[in-house]
Amino acid sequence: MSAAAETTVLHAHTETLRNALLGLAGATALVSVVGALAFGLPGPAKEAPAAGIETPALVELKPQPFAYRPAGDFSQAGRPTNAALRTVSLDRPLAIMMHQVTVGEYQRCVTDGACPRVAADQRAPADQPMVGVSWRDANAYAAWLSAKLGTTWRLPTDEEWAFAAGSRWHDDVQPEGGVDPAQRWLARYTQESEREDVAQRAPLPVGSFGVNEKGVLDIAGNVWEWTESCFVRRDLAAADGTQTVNCGVRVVQGSHRTYVSDFVRDARAGGCAVGKPPSNLGFRLVRETPAWKRWPTMMARLLKGAVG
Amino acid sequence: MITRRNALMGAAMTALTFTTAARAEAPTKVMTPAAGGDLNLPREKVKLVTPPFVHPHEQATTKGPMIKEFTLVIEEKKVVIDEQGTTFQAMTFNGSMPAPMMVVHQGDYVELTLINPETNTMPHNIDFHAATGALGGGALTHVNPGEQVVLRFKADRTGTFVYHCAPEGMIPWHVVSGMSGTIMVLPREGLKTADGKALKYDKIYYVGEYDLYVPRDENGKYKDYDTPGEAYADTLEVMRGLVPTHVVFNGKVGALTGKNAMTAKVGETIMLVHSQANRDTRPHLIGGHGDYVWETGKFDNPPEKNLETWFIRGGSAGAALYTFKQPGIYAYVNHNLIEAAELGATAHFKVEGKWNDDLMKQVKPPQPIPPQVQGALRKGMIPG
């Protein structure tokens, strides 16, 4: 969307507001609302009707080989084990949001009636990552944004997230336990205790956790991100590759990988269950690459396959 | 000696004039080692340690009664009580919540020096549930900032007993602000089963549970105060609603988890003393039991056996013995699970050792439901 179009929409919106406020002699209020809208000033997230929605800032990444360990619970003939760490490549370029969806952005979807209003601090500054959202909320936002922009937006898969995280991706290799399950629990507990973060838990403005080598902001900071990937349980010894896939639980990524039920908005109240919960649940989206943009990669793969 | 702070407080607390005058001699009294010299008994100075640990002690003793000397220094301080960084104006004995546990034997004399340094803002005292008379010692131990007092009482009955601060008009506030601990009076011959068999422990831990009442601002955020006095009015209002904002072990959420988790080995017997100075609670060891439990904490009553959950009455401390039989991570919780999981009342045990398949085994790991079972389920049958 061009800057001119954006201005036009804003202007029209201002007219509507003016009409609404006419009888209230709210001249001062009007100026401040317009100011906030025009300059995107951080401030309390106001319930402004969604005006023109701009395509969010994206980081576009070409496929490259990277180290990845699949998410889920893996066992080998009944014993817990790790999935193999492999070098993989995405099959298409990745266009991922440079920053996590903010309070201000999410509120526009709420105002449009397309996203659930969540209990998380409504007074949070508009330029902070939106937290306290469930996987379902994130998907409602993706659907709304897709409708607004006419392009397809969705949560990244765990693999895509790992690729975008680059050096900030954490391999969650688990200690191998052998026959005694308690040894694995103890080792894992110790590992998690080491990870105990004392970092600021309250969400911070966009950019507070810096940019990684790929140009992605705040990844693996204090806001964990929902992914599209479902929880998988698999016995690697099963010849037929049988696995249980539970899409009621999704992979959550951040400074550690974890699995959270899709309706949960705050995973902190982990309580008596052993394990470190994410501090905050937020998200960023990827823009689906249109098929016509994918074909060069597909062709290259096919050719490579034919040659190899 | 009239301190600057006392001079300032003078107008508000006329009753203090007498104590101020009398205090001139107080330091001399305290510094004389023979304080309480009317008793010709051997003395022992006990160095208290921060919970969940307990100072070294004999479980049974062949020695005769002694005077056990303890010192508690009152410290008012701001602490952080959860992972969100919520601050809390704590009042403490020796800086910890709970205060350190004292261990003596029946017939011993407890001689406590209670110090209220000038850096504090309020008068304090101490009420020992183990003591007899004078409101548990409360009436004889009022100390203003800049004062100290020495109290002696006879530990004439066995058991785990709560002690807490109890200044008139402000008792509950001081107690839910952190000022409570436990004294354990052991039988001289040690602990016993109902049929007289000796019971011993390899390790002892002390868990002090607190219900905390932190005021929130108009946006629902926890408020931060600079002094206990400033927090008083708002805190009292929350207290009167009887719904705590936090229920924690040892002063804060996570005080006994992660790196601070309690440890044990398979085959080790653990003594777990649990106090709650203000309201009822119900400890439970997830995946374990209470082999021998003195729910009320009083060792003259036979211990109950094989408990799943035990009840600690508000204003008391209970004791449980358990020998770990299986390695792994155990959660020790207040089995009001909302308080455990949502409000903080959870501790962990890391237990090393060898897994016992006879006690438990995962016969088949989780796997997809086989087709024939699926079929049975679809027909509404119970498979198997």
Side-chain angles (χ1 to χ4, degrees), chain A residues 42-101:
Chain A
K46 291 264 160 41
E47 279 189 46
I53 305 296
E54 273 197 274
T55 299
L58 287 172
V59 174
E60 308 211 30
L61 304 169
K62 287 203 178 76
Q64 270 179 346
F66 67 103
Y68 178 69
R69 191 185 298 277
D73 262 14
F74 296 87
S75 60
Q76 183 80 45
R79 286 187 205 170
T81 188
N82 292 291
L85 183 67
R86 292 178 294 136
T87 300
V88 298
S89 288
L90 301 178
D91 66 356
R92 63 192 79 171
L94 180 67
I96 190 164
M97 286 181 175
M98 182 182 283
H99 60 78
Q100 292 153 340
V101 171

Side-chain angles (χ1 to χ4, degrees), chain B residues 47-55 93-101 205-206 250:
Chain B
K47 200 173 175 307
L48 292 169
V49 301
T50 306
F53 305 106
V54 178
H55 66 78
F93 293 110
N94 279 18
S96 66
M97 289 167 65
M101 185 159 127
Y205 282 115
Y206 171 36
N250 291 32

Side-chain angles (χ1 to χ4, degrees), chain B residues 52 98 205-209 249-250 256 262 272-275 332 347:
Chain B
Y205 282 115
Y206 171 36
V207 175
E209 180 174 332
F249 293 160
N250 291 32
L256 300 175
M262 296 178 281
L272 256 171
V273 176
H274 194 116
S275 72
Y332 176 71

Side-chain angles (χ1 to χ4, degrees), chain A residues 113-305:
Chain A
C115 286
R117 181 183 307 277
V118 298
D121 197 1
Q122 301 276 337
R123 295 165 195 84
D127 67 342
Q128 272 186 12
M130 183 64 198
V131 299
V133 280
S134 69
W135 183 87
R136 297 177 188 187
D137 301 332
N139 273 273
Y141 183 83
W144 171 81
L145 190 67
S146 300
K148 283 280 165 193
L149 297 178
T151 42
T152 305
W153 296 79
R154 59 167 173 82
L155 288 169
T157 63
D158 179 61
E159 200 172 5
E160 287 167 339
W161 190 97
F163 180 54
S167 60
R168 296 202 189 179
W169 176 74
H170 291 79
D171 183 17
D172 63 351
V173 60
Q174 301 289 315
E176 300 279 350
V179 278
D180 185 340
Q183 302 318 312
R184 187 176 157 95
W185 300 329
L186 285 162
R188 183 174 176 164
Y189 188 81
T190 306
Q191 194 182 59
E192 287 181 353
S193 304
E194 296 303 319
R195 204 169 54 214
E196 230 152 5
D197 60 280
V198 279
Q200 167 86 284
R201 291 204 159 224
L204 297 169
V206 165
S208 298
F209 289 90
V211 64
N212 74 355
E213 73 280 7
K214 301 196 175 186
V216 182
L217 281 168
D218 303 325
I219 203 157
N222 73 352
V223 176
W224 273 247
E225 299 175 20
W226 286 104
T227 76
E228 190 56 26
S229 301
C230 299
F231 175 77
V232 170
R233 192 201 298 277
R234 188 168 169 199
D235 188 343
L236 298 174
D240 57 356
T242 317
Q243 57 182 19
T244 313
V245 179
N246 177 4
C247 288
V249 172
R250 300 282 172 159
V251 179
V252 165
Q253 271 287 12
S255 75
H256 75 281
R257 180 160 65 183
T258 187
Y259 308 93
V260 182
S261 290
D262 65 2
F263 55 85
V264 170
R265 288 176 172 149
D266 182 359
R268 274 183 303 203
C272 61
V274 172
K276 287 300 269 182
S279 304
N280 297 291
L281 292 175
F283 66 105
R284 77 178 80 218
L285 300 175
V286 297
R287 190 181 60 194
E288 192 64 89
T289 316
W292 63 268
K293 272 196 180 174
R294 290 208 306 265
W295 77 263
T297 328
M298 284 157 63
M299 288 307 289
R301 283 194 175 224
L302 282 173
L303 280 172
K304 201 177 160 202

